[in-house]
Amino acid sequence: MSTSHWAIAVHGGAGTIERRHLRPEQEAAYRAALGRVAEAGGVVLRAGGSALDAIEAAIHLLEDDPLFNAGRGAVFTARGANELDASIMDGATLAAGAVAGVTRTRHPISLARAVMERSSHVLLVGAGADAFSKANGVEQADPSYFFTERRWRSLENFAKAHDLPVPPRPAGDHRPDPVHALAHDEGKYGTVGVVALDISGNVAAGTSTGGTTGKQWGRVGDSPVIGAGTYASNAACAVSATGTGEYFIRLGVAHEIAALVEHKGLSLQAAADIVIQDKLTALGGDGGIIAVAPDGQVAWSYNTSGMYRASLAANRPLVVGIYKDEP
Ligand code: ASP
């Protein structure tokens, strides 16, 4: 039953991320954060913990880190709010949970897990999801907790560029945060995701995001859509995505990769490359994925110039990468 190995991969978003865009201290901050997150998941897996527990622990760190567009550090909508999306899936049972447009939960990944484990539903949205969160004792946070100066400035720039009114500044800590100087914003999607294989041979995937800056009308991307931004099946693999969500939804990216592995017997890397390098690129979408299979294969594929990523596995050292010319 035991496959005696485990593996984890992490992403913190993909996009136009080139060496000349990042100062050494910015690059170091991202690399350190990604490494810490992979190690935190690795601690759970090494001790025999489940893939779901490793994912939840690792994504908590990413949701708390304002470098990334998830939890604290999430981007603002056009009306000046943080509306958070997340999803999680258990490859052993095909159970899944997701939330979209939530505003009061510190760790949306834990709310997605609560939907999976404590409701008979898969996807809850908006005020109903906020109410479910409170009723189920998931850790609450005032909306002002999610405010970061850096994301607010991004929204102001977005509003000006798109001829939209700049909404009133919401409550929050308006001091320039130290991260402001370290974060890299231009042309990137900062969604976070983790995929893991535990020593019982089960895979799982989770994704968490603030979506896209200046989103309007209750727009929801791929991150909370099972099959698009997140998918896991022990019959194939676990996948988490980041990028232009509308394209990932149209291609059912995460499920498509799993289907190629399961039905065509492709390697994880080959399946990921067909969907990202060929299909996503042909359709005009940008972004990437991380994936892990029950036999320990780990893959990532992205069609942007960079993706924040890390992986760690039993008997394999930590790998952290940002740019295209890295492993
Ligand atoms: N995929 C996310 C969305 O469309 C954005 C991202 O990856 O940063 O909401």
Side-chain angles (χ1 to χ4, degrees):
M1 180 196 120
S2 166
T3 55
S4 80
H5 61 219
W6 55 267
I8 184 166
V10 175
H11 73 75
T16 314
I17 315 167
E18 291 166 23
R19 276 205 170 72
R20 63 193 164 87
H21 295 145
L22 280 117
R23 297 189 311 280
E25 64 273 24
Q26 285 181 300
E27 194 180 310
Y30 278 101
R31 287 190 193 277
L34 292 162
R36 247 188 334 263
V37 170
E39 295 283 3
V43 165
V44 175
L45 296 168
R46 210 177 274 125
S50 70
L52 288 170
D53 285 346
I55 287 166
E56 193 177 7
I59 292 186
H60 277 195
L61 296 180
L62 291 159
E63 289 175 333
D64 285 347
D65 188 337
L67 282 178
F68 302 100
N69 173 19
R72 181 155 185 275
V75 299
F76 283 97
T77 66
R79 64 177 186 90
N82 304 106
E83 295 178 3
L84 312 172
D85 305 334
S87 62
I88 194 163
M89 185 159 184
D90 179 358
T93 60
L94 302 189
V99 290
V102 298
T103 60
R104 302 184 155 271
T105 298
R106 178 173 172 193
H107 295 121
I109 195 67
S110 294
L111 181 53
R113 189 168 182 182
V115 171
M116 175 173 82
E117 291 175 345
R118 295 187 234 158
S119 85
S120 53
H121 308 300
V122 169
L123 173 59
L124 301 182
V125 304
D130 282 337
F132 177 85
S133 177
K134 195 164 181 201
N136 280 273
V138 180
E139 186 179 351
Q140 302 292 289
D142 188 81
S144 62
Y145 164 79
F146 300 103
F147 182 97
T148 54
E149 187 62 30
R150 155 201 177 211
R151 297 296 192 191
W152 185 254
R153 289 191 204 168
S154 298
L155 175 65
E156 286 179 338
N157 293 338
F158 179 91
K160 282 174 204 150
H162 292 81
D163 253 339
L164 292 168
V166 175
R169 222 173 153 66
D173 182 351
H174 292 168
R175 284 171 304 178
D177 48 275
V179 145
H180 192 89
L182 294 175
H184 166 65
D185 264 345
E186 294 323 307
K188 87 170 175 62
Y189 310 99
T191 290
V192 307
V194 178
V195 292
L197 162 67
D198 63 32
I199 61 171
S200 305
N202 296 318
V203 294
T207 309
S208 183
T209 189
T212 49
T213 300
K215 63 186 182 182
Q216 287 178 281
W217 307 302
R219 180 267 183 192
V220 176
D222 60 314
S223 307
V225 177
I226 297 299
T230 302
Y231 196 74
S233 166
N234 280 2
C237 58
V239 181
S240 170
T242 175
T244 44
E246 284 70 7
Y247 293 85
F248 283 71
I249 293 173
R250 290 162 64 196
L251 285 171
V253 161
H255 184 269
E256 183 72 1
I257 293 169
L260 287 172
V261 169
E262 183 175 353
H263 303 303
K264 281 201 149 180
L266 297 187
S267 74
L268 192 56
Q269 189 65 56
D273 286 341
I274 286 173
V275 176
I276 298 300
Q277 309 300 335
D278 300 349
K279 295 187 181 212
L280 181 70
T281 305
L283 200 62
D286 279 343
I289 61 94
I290 52 169
V292 65
D295 65 2
Q297 295 175 74
V298 174
W300 42 52
S301 189
Y302 51 97
N303 67 357
T304 48
S305 57
M307 179 165 83
Y308 294 113
R309 58 195 187 273
S311 74
L312 180 67
N315 310 323
R316 287 210 296 270
L318 175 68
V319 176
V320 177
I322 299 178
Y323 311 113
K324 220 157 202 156
D325 57 7
E326 298 177 271

